[in-house]
Structures are given as structure tokens and as C-alpha cells.
Amino acid sequence: MKYFRRFFIITVTIFIVFLLYLEFGGMFILKTNDKRTITFNIRSSEKIPNNFSNFYNTVYPNSLSENSWNYMSGIFTNSDSPRKECPCNQMSYKILPTLEIKHTKRINYFMNQFIVARFIENKFSQKECLQFNFGSFDFLENRKGLSEVSHSLFKKDAKDLKPMEMAEILALYEAPLKYNRSRNPQKAKERTEHFYHVYLNNSKIKN
């Protein structure tokens, strides 16, 4: 019984230390250049207007208020959860290959990706991560970022977009080639309507 108690205490201690490492490890293992790269990319990103961030947060409920811990717990209940439900986790996934912390082994890469995500989330908001994600996204046809794709498709600023228009941009954001209105008009229309109906249904739930 005494050995079992000792084993239990050691196991729990190791588990707690591991969780603390995931939560705060980025502060210590990220090099100064990596921290500067993350900060620069976020602070130099194009600002997203409230109408678009609200639309995104309605399509992906609580995406701007939760974090990578919520996202990971959601994966255990739904393995198909899109990374877009957590903008900072998505940003970490995109930016990790450019950082010195990257590893080739899959388990290390996955763990470091989560550590970087938590480092970002402890310093920046999900909306700031969303701004990086859209600002750095290539919508193809020489359209990079929300502002360019908005003017290309609708000849207007992002702050003036209507829900159906924002739904089309989300479809492109999901797969810019597959849901391109010029290449695949029917698929683009169907996916746009899907996001629009998700928005309407989730809006009703909110209200």
C-alpha cells in the first residue's frame, strides 16, 4: 500500500509538471528570435473589422473566446473538429515551420505546436490570431488577405460585407481552389450557402 501511494504521488506529480510544461514551456524554450517573429507577424497583420470577426465567431461558436485547451478537449469528443475553431492554434500550426523550435519527430512537433499555441494565447487574443491567419492567407489569383479578396470579389471594404458575402470568403478560406466561383461555380455556391445557413442557425441559438 505504501509503495502504491508513493507511485501514485510520483505519477500525479509528473503529470502536473507535464501540464505546466505545455502551458508555460514556450516562455522558456522559445528563442528570442522566435518570440520576435511571432510578435511581429501578429502586430503587422491587417486588422479585421468587427462585422467579419462576429460572423466568424458565429459560424465557429466561441472561437474567439476559448483556447487550445478547449480545442484539444473538443478533439477527444469530435475528431473532425476543424482547427479554425481556435485561431491561435491554427496560427501556431502555420507559423511553426518558420521557427527554430521545430522538430522532425511527429510527437515532438505536435507537442511544440501546442506549446507555441499556448505561448501565443497567453500574450495575444484569438482575434489577433485570426487577423494573422486571414492576413497571411493566399486566396489565389493574386489575392492575399481579407481586404484584397473583399475588393476582388465584391468591390467593397471588408467592413461593408454582408453575411452572404462573408460566407463566400469563408468558403474560399476553407479551400480556395475547390470553392472558386470561376472554376467551380456550383460547389462555390453550395459551400457559401452552407456557411450562410450555419451563421443563421447559430444566430438564432445565440438569441
Side-chain angles (χ1 to χ4, degrees):
M1 188 68 178
K2 184 174 73 172
Y3 293 108
F4 174 78
R5 184 183 302 171
R6 184 177 300 172
F7 174 77
F8 177 76
I9 293 173
I10 292 173
T11 302
V12 170
T13 301
I14 292 173
F15 180 69
I16 292 174
V17 170
F18 177 68
L19 291 180
L20 290 173
Y21 173 71
L22 291 178
E23 178 68 15
F24 302 110
M27 296 171 57
F28 307 103
I29 66 175
L30 276 172
K31 295 185 178 180
T32 302
N33 285 342
D34 286 345
K35 294 177 182 178
R36 287 174 178 169
T37 297
I38 292 169
T39 300
F40 174 79
N41 276 282
I42 288 182
R43 291 184 175 166
S44 61
S45 296
E46 172 193 348
K47 303 303 180 189
I48 284 182
N50 288 333
N51 64 319
F52 192 86
S53 59
N54 290 337
F55 181 87
Y56 189 96
N57 196 49
T58 302
V59 172
Y60 299 104
N62 303 317
S63 58
L64 299 186
S65 58
E66 296 186 346
N67 58 43
S68 291
W69 288 111
N70 302 111
Y71 170 70
M72 291 303 298
S73 63
I75 286 180
F76 288 110
T77 56
N78 179 15
S79 59
D80 294 326
S81 294
R83 200 177 293 274
K84 296 181 181 67
E85 291 182 359
C86 182
C88 287
N89 195 282
Q90 186 182 13
M91 176 187 174
S92 173
Y93 182 80
K94 292 174 66 175
I95 203 172
L96 184 60
T98 70
L99 304 180
E100 295 180 39
I101 190 181
K102 61 178 183 289
H103 284 281
T104 54
K105 291 183 179 179
R106 187 171 182 180
I107 183 64
N108 286 343
Y109 193 91
F110 175 78
M111 190 163 61
N112 285 341
Q113 189 262 316
F114 185 87
I115 289 171
V116 170
R118 287 305 298 147
F119 172 80
I120 294 171
E121 288 167 343
N122 284 324
K123 290 184 172 294
F124 303 98
S125 68
Q126 293 290 345
K127 184 175 180 179
E128 287 174 305
C129 292
L130 188 68
Q131 289 173 168
F132 166 82
N133 293 339
F134 271 91
S136 61
F137 189 80
D138 187 358
F139 289 92
L140 304 182
E141 300 180 0
N142 296 316
R143 302 175 300 194
K144 189 173 183 179
L146 180 61
S147 180
E148 286 189 8
V149 74
S150 176
H151 279 281
S152 173
L153 292 175
F154 310 111
K155 305 295 187 292
K156 61 174 69 173
D157 294 335
K159 64 182 178 62
D160 298 320
L161 290 172
K162 296 177 181 178
M164 184 64 83
E165 295 167 336
M166 290 186 280
E168 183 171 353
I169 290 177
L170 274 197
L172 276 175
Y173 185 58
E174 185 175 75
L177 192 61
K178 183 178 180 179
Y179 299 125
N180 183 297
R181 60 160 72 164
S182 300
R183 294 172 178 267
N184 301 299
Q186 187 58 34
K187 286 184 178 180
K189 180 175 181 293
E190 290 172 357
R191 199 58 181 166
T192 295
E193 290 176 348
H194 163 76
F195 281 119
Y196 180 66
H197 290 140
V198 169
Y199 167 76
L200 292 180
N201 290 336
N202 288 349
S203 295
K204 292 178 183 176
I205 294 174
K206 277 186 175 182
N207 297 329

